[in-house]
């Protein structure tokens, strides 16, 4: 048996044991990714390779900066009470479909800004969920609403953690770690969000409020609108307009919100909301780096490169996507996230954001589908939904998710002709 | 100019993370904060 197989076996064994023992607890996943990296370098007889373990996260640093800035901005809006007042306005919309769609976009907004579905659950999802509970809506229906909003928010642009993870697989091939994903993500997610709203309009429009909503504070509202304008202009006109990127927009907006009454303490707490997913991202970077250093990636290339002729690379990518989703049910995110980056490796120089977006769906679905330690667990725990069941809560998402999967496969198969989506 | 802003943003994030690590947290949370802080601090200090 080649040494590289043994190294891979040790790394995966540590991770699988860790995930099983901790019931896929997210904060432990980062710790076990780190331990698996150490175990891998030890198994390869290289000692504890601090250099690779520390260097790995730097592949994700710039994208993580945007994630952190987005989380900072969202957290400050939430802690200033802006989100609660905004929800009041959304719930006073009269049309059922429009109210349902706006509610989903409201819940998903922190996910759009930061790329983290968990942030949606912790902030806007919590606000909406508590209101739904107060109106006596069943736990299962609350779970459907919050999980749907958080999942589609995560997959919508500008920031999308699964796409950030997948783009790492292209290494330095893409112009920067995470650029050009706005339109591909929008084209992928928007039809699914609309289908989900249409199919579940009754459930999603249960929450409503009569009477006049509270007035929104002027400065946070102005900052909020300006950030949206900046994100849309830069996202839709990437090739023509550059105003500093998402990170700068979120950061300046956050500074203004801190001075508008948010305070430094709120900024500290807001950033903490993003720490565990970002730690998972960074430790995944270490895991990938150690797998490259010890030759695991080399063996993978050796096995897949002969297949790269005759269009069989696509088959490798699709198979890895399918394995990622299947593993996601049992082991939540870490291993699927690793496989998603490896799915991008074979195309290397040929990677474009459309193909990478398609592949990233597998990581997103792995988080959604996880029976333990996924989006359902996070939502049920945060909102204390004791009567919500995993199957019942995810069933309404089945058709929209199948549509997303179909669109993802189309993006993987026809990524090159679709490259006009990269604005 | 943008380079300076880039390092300012990273430094601010690193300081906020450092304040977070001083708060009472359990072990895995501390490890998570440390993993993020080390990366941000190394970049902020131009070491990596």
């Amino acid at each position: 048996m080649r040494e590289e197989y043994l190294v891979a076996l040790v790394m995966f064994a540590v991770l699988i044991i860790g995930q099983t023992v901790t019931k896929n607890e997210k904060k432990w996943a980062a710790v076990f990714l780190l331990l698996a990296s150490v175990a891998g370098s030890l198994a390869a007889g290289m000692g504890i390779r601090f250099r690779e373990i520390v260097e790995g996260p730097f592949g994700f640093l710039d994208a993580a900066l945007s994630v952190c800035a987005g989380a900072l901005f969202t957290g400050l809006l939430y802690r200033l009470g802006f989100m609660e007042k905004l929800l009041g306005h959304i719930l006073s919309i009269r049309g059922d479909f429009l109210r349902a769609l706006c509610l989903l976009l409201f819940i998903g907004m922190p996910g759009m800004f930061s790329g983290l579905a968990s942030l949606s659950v912790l902030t806007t999802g919590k606000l909406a969920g508590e209101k739904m509970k107060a109106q006596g809506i069943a736990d299962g229906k609350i779970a459907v609403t919050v999980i749907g909003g958080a999942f589609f928010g995560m997959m919508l642009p500008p920031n999308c953690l699964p796409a950030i993870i997948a783009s790492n697989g292209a290494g330095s091939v893409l112009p920067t770690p995470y650029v050009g994903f706005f339109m591909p993500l929008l084209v992928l997610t928007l039809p699914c969000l609309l289908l989900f709203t249409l199919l579940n309009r009754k459930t999603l429009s249960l929450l409503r409020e009569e009477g006049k909503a509270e007035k929104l504070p002027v400065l946070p509202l102005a900052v909020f609108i300006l950030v949206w304008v900046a994100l849309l202009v830069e996202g839709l006109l990437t090739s023509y307009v550059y105003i500093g990127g998402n990170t700068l927009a979120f950061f300046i907006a956050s500074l203004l919100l801190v001075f508008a009454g948010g305070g430094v303490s709120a900024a500290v707490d807001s950033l903490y909301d993003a720490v565990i997913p970002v730690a998972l991202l960074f430790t995944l970077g270490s895991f990938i780096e150690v797998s490259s250093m010890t030759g695991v990636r080399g063996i993978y290339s050796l096995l897949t490169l002969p297949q790269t002729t005759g269009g069989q690379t696509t088959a490798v990518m699709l198979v890895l996507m399918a394995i990622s989703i299947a593993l996601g049910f049992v082991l939540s995110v870490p291993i699927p996230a690793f496989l998603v980056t490896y799915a991008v490796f074979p195309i290397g120089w040929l990677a474009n954001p459309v193909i990478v977006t398609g592949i990233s769906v597998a990581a997103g679905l792995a988080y959604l589908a996880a029976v333990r330690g996924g989006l359902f667990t996070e939502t049920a725990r945060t909102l204390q939904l004791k009567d919500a069941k995993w199957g019942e809560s995810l069933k309404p998402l089945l058709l929209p998710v199948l549509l997303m999967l179909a669109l993802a496969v189309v993006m993987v198969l026809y990524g090159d002709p679709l490259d006009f989506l990269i604005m | 100019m943008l380079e300076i802003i880039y390092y300012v943003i990273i430094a601010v994030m690193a300081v906020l993370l450092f304040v977070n690590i001083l708060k009472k947290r359990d072990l895995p949370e501390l490890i998570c904060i440390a993993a993020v802080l080390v990366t941000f601090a190394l970049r902020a200090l131009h070491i990596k």
Side-chain angles (χ1 to χ4, degrees):
Chain A
M1 189 160 129
R2 287 190 69 132
E3 184 191 298
E4 291 83 358
Y5 290 117
L6 187 70
V7 173
L9 204 66
V10 169
M11 290 174 79
F12 283 118
V14 170
L15 203 48
I16 291 169
I17 291 168
Q19 288 291 95
T20 310
V21 170
T22 61
K23 295 180 180 172
N24 298 342
E25 190 72 46
K26 213 158 65 178
K27 60 185 174 186
W28 280 107
V31 177
F32 278 96
L33 272 166
L34 210 56
L35 286 176
S37 309
V38 173
S41 60
L42 284 173
M46 295 177 170
I48 300 174
R49 296 279 294 192
F50 283 109
R51 180 181 170 156
E52 278 71 19
I53 290 167
V54 171
E55 199 169 71
F58 282 89
F60 285 116
L61 178 63
D62 292 340
L65 201 58
S66 177
V67 169
C68 288
L72 197 62
F73 174 62
T74 313
L76 282 162
L77 281 178
Y78 171 68
R79 286 172 176 85
L80 272 168
F82 178 83
M83 293 295 200
E84 197 174 352
K85 286 172 185 158
L86 185 63
L87 179 60
H89 283 268
I90 288 166
L91 297 184
S92 59
I93 295 172
R94 293 200 174 177
D96 279 358
F97 180 79
L98 188 62
R99 189 172 65 251
L101 183 62
C102 288
L103 178 65
L104 282 178
L105 287 171
F106 169 78
I107 295 172
M109 199 161 48
M112 293 180 219
F113 289 158
S114 65
L116 309 173
S118 58
L119 196 66
S120 280
V121 176
L122 283 173
T123 56
T124 47
K126 196 174 172 189
L127 284 175
E130 280 169 356
K131 277 202 189 269
M132 290 175 99
K133 262 192 169 183
Q135 290 192 9
I137 296 170
D139 282 2
K141 289 180 176 172
I142 300 175
V144 171
T145 310
V146 175
I147 291 173
F151 174 69
F152 290 117
M154 173 180 75
M155 296 307 295
L156 277 168
N159 278 335
C160 169
L161 199 68
I164 288 171
I165 290 170
S167 69
N168 182 272
S172 57
V173 176
L174 295 173
T176 53
Y178 183 71
V179 166
F181 285 83
F182 198 97
M183 275 305 279
L185 284 170
L186 196 64
V187 168
L188 175 82
T189 315
L190 201 57
C192 309
L193 173 70
L194 291 173
L195 179 66
F196 178 67
T197 316
L198 206 65
L199 293 175
N200 300 287
R201 189 166 57 174
K202 270 190 181 172
T203 305
L204 298 170
S205 60
L206 283 173
L207 187 61
R208 69 180 77 194
E209 268 182 6
E210 303 295 334
K212 211 176 172 188
E214 255 185 282
K215 213 176 163 186
L216 291 166
V218 180
L219 185 68
L221 178 63
V223 171
F224 179 72
I225 292 169
L226 281 175
V227 165
W228 264 116
V229 170
L231 295 179
L232 288 173
V233 167
E234 203 165 273
L236 294 171
L237 303 167
T238 312
S239 304
Y240 311 100
V241 183
Y242 179 67
I243 45 175
N246 301 340
T247 310
L248 187 62
F250 289 136
F251 187 72
I252 293 173
S254 302
L255 279 184
L256 289 170
L257 291 179
V258 166
F259 292 118
V264 177
S265 169
V268 171
D269 292 340
S270 300
L271 189 59
Y272 177 71
D273 292 342
V275 158
I276 291 173
V278 172
L280 205 127
L281 193 65
F282 281 180
T283 48
L284 178 68
S286 303
F287 191 88
I288 294 167
E289 191 76 8
V290 169
S291 77
S292 299
M293 173 193 76
T294 52
V296 174
R297 184 177 168 179
I299 282 291
Y300 169 74
S301 298
L302 190 71
L303 292 171
T304 54
L305 276 177
Q307 312 298 323
T308 52
T309 51
Q312 288 167 344
T313 320
T314 314
V316 174
M317 290 191 282
L318 292 176
V319 166
L320 282 179
M321 281 173 72
I323 295 172
S324 301
I325 297 169
L327 283 177
F329 277 100
V330 192
L331 295 168
S332 193
V333 177
I335 295 179
F338 172 76
L339 293 179
V340 158
T341 59
Y342 264 54
V344 183
F345 281 152
I347 44 172
W349 293 101
L350 302 171
N352 79 40
V354 178
I355 300 175
V356 176
T357 300
I359 293 173
S360 73
V361 168
L365 291 184
Y367 183 49
L368 175 72
V371 180
R372 291 190 304 190
L375 192 49
F376 171 76
T377 311
E378 190 122 13
T379 307
R381 187 190 297 155
T382 307
L383 300 172
Q384 294 175 334
L385 304 174
K386 286 169 193 156
D387 296 331
K389 302 269 184 304
W390 174 83
E392 281 173 21
S393 304
L394 296 190
K395 202 176 163 190
L397 276 153
L398 191 62
L399 274 178
V401 159
L402 285 176
L403 174 65
M404 183 177 272
L405 207 52
L407 288 171
V409 172
V410 169
M411 283 180 156
V412 172
L413 290 174
Y414 304 104
D416 289 330
L418 289 170
D419 65 0
F420 61 86
L421 289 172
I422 310 160
M423 310 293 275
Chain B
M1 182 64 182
L2 271 177
E3 198 183 332
I4 296 169
I5 296 171
Y6 173 76
Y7 282 103
V8 167
I9 295 174
I10 290 193
V12 171
M13 295 288 184
V15 170
L16 293 177
L17 284 167
F18 184 72
V19 178
N20 259 307
I21 217 167
L22 297 176
K23 292 188 173 184
K24 203 177 174 186
R25 311 270 185 209
D26 59 16
L27 183 69
E29 287 173 338
L30 280 175
I31 295 172
C32 287
I33 299 173
V36 182
L37 179 60
V38 164
T39 310
F40 275 62
L42 286 175
R43 178 55 59 90
L45 298 169
H46 282 64
I47 294 172
K48 182 79 190 139

